[in-house]
C-alpha cells in the first residue's frame, strides 16, 4: 500500500504489507479494559489512550513501558500483556543493525553499490543498482519503487483477494521483480520516500555477504544474545505463537466498509525482510534499549545508525536514520524507534535517546486507532482528546 504522506503515521501506514487505512468503525465488541499497575511513573494517560483505541473500534490493545528498571503494562479489550504479535516494519531496525555489524566487521561497506552484492537485480525502467548504495536502501533515499505500491500487488495482498492468497509463498526475488516493473520514485540520493523494496534488497545483501538467510543472522546476532525469547523470524510459518490474540482487518480500501475478517494466519513471506518478524512488547523494549545504549554496535556504527535525513518538509519533527526514526513529540521530547503495520496488526516501539524510557505497543486491527496518541501519552502525559 502506498505510504501515507502524513508523516507522523507514514512508517506505520507504509510498512511492509502495511495496515489498510480507513475510518469506519466496525470491530467486534471489546471486553472491558484490564487494570494497569504503575511503578513510580504515572501511566494513567497511556492507559487512557489504549482505552480510547478500543472505544474507536480496535478489538484489543497492549502497551508496556519501562522507566529505568520500573515497568508497567496496560491492556484494553482482547489483548494480554504478554501477547505475541506481528511487528511489521519494526523488522527494518533489526535488518539495519545486522548490516551495520557486518560493516564493523569489514565484510561490507554501507557505501557499496547494491550492484556489487546483487548484480543485475536492481535493473529495469530506470532502476540501476550501480548508482544506489546499501546506505540509501537503509535510509530510504534510494528512489527504488515500493512493491507495496504496485496496484496488482495491492489487489492480491490487501484487498478481499487476500483470503485466497493468504498462504501463498513469495520469494524476495519475486517481490523485487514486481517493483522493477515501475520507474524509480526519484534519482538516488535526491529525495526520500518509504519503500519496502529497499529492505527486501537489504535482506538479500545480508544473505549474499554471509551465505545465510537474513533471519538466521538476526537470530544469531540479536535475538539469541539479547535472549529475546518471544521474538522470531517466521519465514513461511503462518501462525503466531501463544500467548496471542486474533488479528483483524477489513481488507478494503473503502473507508465505509463494515465487514471485518479474522486474518491471524498468513504467510509472512509477502513481507520478507521489510516486515515479517513476530515479537512482544517486552522483547521490543529490550532490543531498542540495548540498541540506543550502544550495546549492539561499535561507536562508529552507532553514529551512522542515528545519522538522520529529512523525510517530508511538512513534517520536520520526523527524521529517518538507518532503519530508525527520530520523532520530536508535542512536548519537545525526542523518541527513537520504528512503527510497524501488517494485516491486523499496528505496532510502535520507541525509546528515549539514552535508552532509559521505552514503550512498545500494539493494536490487533489495521483500520482504526491512533498509535501516536499512545506515544504522546506515555512520554508527554497527554491524554487523548475526547
Amino acid at each position: 500500500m502506498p505510504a501515507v504522506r502524513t508523516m507522523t503515521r507514514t512508517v506505520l501506514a507504509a510498512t511492509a504489507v502495511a495496515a489498510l487505512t480507513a475510518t469506519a468503525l466496525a470491530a467486534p465488541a471489546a471486553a472491558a479494559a484490564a487494570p494497569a499497575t504503575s511503578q513510580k511513573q504515572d501511566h494513567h494517560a497511556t492507559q487512557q489512550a489504549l482505552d480510547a483505541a478500543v472505544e474507536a473500534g480496535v478489538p484489543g490493545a497492549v502497551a508496556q513501558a519501562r522507566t529505568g528498571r520500573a515497568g508497567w503494562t496496560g491492556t484494553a479489550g482482547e489483548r494480554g500483556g504478554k501477547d505475541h504479535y506481528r511487528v511489521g516494519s519494526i523488522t527494518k531496525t533489526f535488518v539495519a543493525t545486522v548490516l551495520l555489524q557486518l560493516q564493523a566487521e569489514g565484510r561490507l561497506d554501507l557505501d557499496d553499490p547494491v550492484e556489487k552484492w546483487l548484480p543485475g537485480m536492481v535493473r529495469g525502467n530506470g532502476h540501476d543498482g550501480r548508482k544506489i548504495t546499501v546506505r540509501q536502501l537503509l535510509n530510504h533515499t534510494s528512489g527504488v519503487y515500493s512493491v507495496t505500491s504496485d496496484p496488482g500487488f495491492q489487489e492480491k495482498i490487501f484487498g478481499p483477494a487476500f483470503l485466497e492468497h493468504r498462504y501463498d509463498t513469495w520469494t524476495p526475488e519475486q517481490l523485487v521483480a514486481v517493483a522493477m516493473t515501475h520507474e524509480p520514485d526519484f534519482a538516488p540520493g535526491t529525495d526520500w520516500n518509504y519503500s519496502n523494496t529497499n529492505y527486501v534488497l537489504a535482506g538479500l545483501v545480508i544473505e549474499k555477504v554471509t551465505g545465510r538467510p537474513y533471519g538466521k543472522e538476526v537470530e544469531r546476532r540479536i535475538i539469541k544474545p539479547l535472549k529475546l525469547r518471544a521474538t522470531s523470524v517466521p519465514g513461511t510459518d503462518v501462525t503466531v505463537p501463544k500467548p496471542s490474540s486474533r488479528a483483524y482487518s477489513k481488507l478494503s480500501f473503502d473507508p465505509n466498509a463494515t465487514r471485518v475478517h479474522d486474518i491471524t494466519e498468513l504467510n509472512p513471506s509477502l513481507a520478507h525482510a521489510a516486515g515479517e518478524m513476530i515479537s512482544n512488547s517486552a522483547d521490543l523494549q529490550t532490543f531498542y534499549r540495548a540498541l540506543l545504549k550502544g550495546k549492539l554496535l561499535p561507536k562508529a556504527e552507532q553514529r551512522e545508525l542515528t545519522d538522520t535525513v529529512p523525510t517530508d518538509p511538512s513534517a520536520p519533527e520526523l527524521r529517518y536514520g538507518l532503519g530508525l526514526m527520530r520523532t520530536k513529540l508535542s512536548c519537545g521530547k525526542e523518541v527513537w524507534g520504528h512503527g510497524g503495520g501488517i494485516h491486523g496488526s499496528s505496532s510502535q516501539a520507541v525509546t528515549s535517546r539514552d535508552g532509559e524510557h521505552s514503550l512498545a505497543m500494539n493494536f490487533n486491527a489495521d483500520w482504526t486507532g491512533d498509535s501516536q496518541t499512545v506515544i504522546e501519552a506515555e512520554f508527554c502525559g497527554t491524554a487523548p482528546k475526547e
Side-chain angles (χ1 to χ4, degrees), residues 46-75:
T46 314
Q47 182 63 54
Q48 283 183 303
L50 298 179
D51 295 338
V54 170
E55 290 172 6
V58 174
V62 59
Q64 286 190 1
R66 294 182 205 164
T67 308
R69 295 183 178 181
W72 171 88
T73 299
T75 63

Side-chain angles (χ1 to χ4, degrees), residues 122-144:
V122 184
R123 295 289 178 89
N125 293 300
H127 286 95
D128 188 346
R130 296 170 296 183
K131 299 178 180 179
I132 298 168
T133 67
V134 176
R135 186 185 309 277
Q136 289 169 336
L137 297 180
L138 298 185
N139 66 12
H140 295 296
T141 61
S142 71
V144 172

Side-chain angles (χ1 to χ4, degrees), residues 9-358:
R9 299 185 185 181
T10 296
V11 175
L12 179 61
T15 43
V17 254
L20 298 170
T21 307
T23 57
L25 177 61
T37 57
S38 178
Q39 296 179 12
K40 295 185 179 180
Q41 178 169 328
D42 180 7
H43 303 277
H44 181 66
T46 314
Q47 182 63 54
Q48 283 183 303
L50 298 179
D51 295 338
V54 170
E55 290 172 6
V58 174
V62 59
Q64 286 190 1
R66 294 182 205 164
T67 308
R69 295 183 178 181
W72 171 88
T73 299
T75 63
E78 53 177 77
R79 264 298 189 207
K82 296 182 179 180
D83 274 4
H84 297 73
Y85 46 80
R86 301 187 189 277
V87 303
S89 277
I90 290 173
T91 302
K92 290 179 171 68
T93 314
F94 287 83
V95 171
T97 301
V98 170
L99 282 165
L100 282 160
Q101 290 178 344
L102 290 170
Q103 176 178 265
E105 295 165 8
R107 300 177 69 178
L108 88 163
D109 191 309
L110 293 187
D111 293 317
D112 287 340
V114 174
E115 181 76 7
K116 176 178 179 179
W117 299 106
L118 305 174
M121 182 170 288
V122 184
R123 295 289 178 89
N125 293 300
H127 286 95
D128 188 346
R130 296 170 296 183
K131 299 178 180 179
I132 298 168
T133 67
V134 176
R135 186 185 309 277
Q136 289 169 336
L137 297 180
L138 298 185
N139 66 12
H140 295 296
T141 61
S142 71
V144 172
Y145 184 88
S146 182
V147 59
T148 49
S149 294
D150 176 78
F153 187 85
Q154 289 183 4
E155 183 177 354
K156 182 179 289 188
I157 298 302
F158 300 132
F162 166 80
L163 298 174
E164 302 173 24
H165 296 281
R166 67 195 302 167
Y167 302 120
D168 292 356
T169 293
W170 290 78
T171 67
E173 292 81 5
Q174 286 176 316
L175 297 173
V176 173
V178 170
M180 293 301 104
T181 64
H182 298 268
E183 295 181 356
D185 294 323
F186 48 80
T190 64
D191 204 345
W192 186 93
N193 193 45
Y194 195 90
S195 171
N196 287 303
T197 313
N198 283 333
Y199 274 78
V200 176
L201 290 165
L204 288 170
V205 171
I206 292 172
E207 182 172 343
K208 192 64 177 288
V209 173
T210 66
R212 294 159 55 90
Y214 93 91
K216 294 298 182 183
E217 288 298 308
V218 169
E219 291 171 1
R220 185 172 73 86
R221 294 169 173 270
I222 303 173
I223 293 176
K224 290 182 179 178
L226 294 181
K227 297 181 172 60
L228 305 180
R229 294 184 176 87
T231 304
S232 62
V233 185
T236 58
D237 188 341
V238 303
T239 62
V240 178
K242 299 296 183 182
S244 58
S245 307
R246 308 304 293 176
Y248 303 99
S249 177
K250 291 188 177 181
L251 297 177
S252 175
F253 296 101
D254 179 4
N256 298 314
T258 58
R259 187 175 179 184
V260 174
H261 303 272
D262 183 324
I263 47 75
T264 307
E265 291 189 354
L266 61 84
N267 186 328
S269 65
L270 53 79
H272 192 250
E276 74 171 277
M277 289 179 65
I278 291 171
S279 191
N280 70 3
S281 297
D283 273 12
L284 290 178
Q285 289 185 91
T286 298
F287 168 58
Y288 279 101
R289 289 165 74 96
L291 182 62
L292 269 296
K293 288 184 177 186
K295 295 181 179 180
L296 294 173
L297 297 171
K299 289 183 178 180
E301 278 65 35
Q302 190 77 10
R303 287 193 295 270
E304 294 187 44
L305 171 76
T306 54
D307 183 15
T308 62
V309 296
T311 56
D312 190 306
S314 66
E317 73 277 5
L318 179 61
R319 295 178 64 90
Y320 203 93
L322 301 185
L324 193 68
M325 289 189 299
R326 189 200 75 184
T327 306
K328 189 172 184 178
L329 303 178
S330 62
C331 57
K333 292 182 179 180
E334 287 185 355
V335 293
W336 295 76
H338 214 287
I342 192 167
H343 299 71
S345 183
S346 299
S347 307
Q348 291 280 357
V350 295
T351 182
S352 56
R353 183 65 181 83
D354 62 5
E356 286 298 311
H357 186 182
S358 58

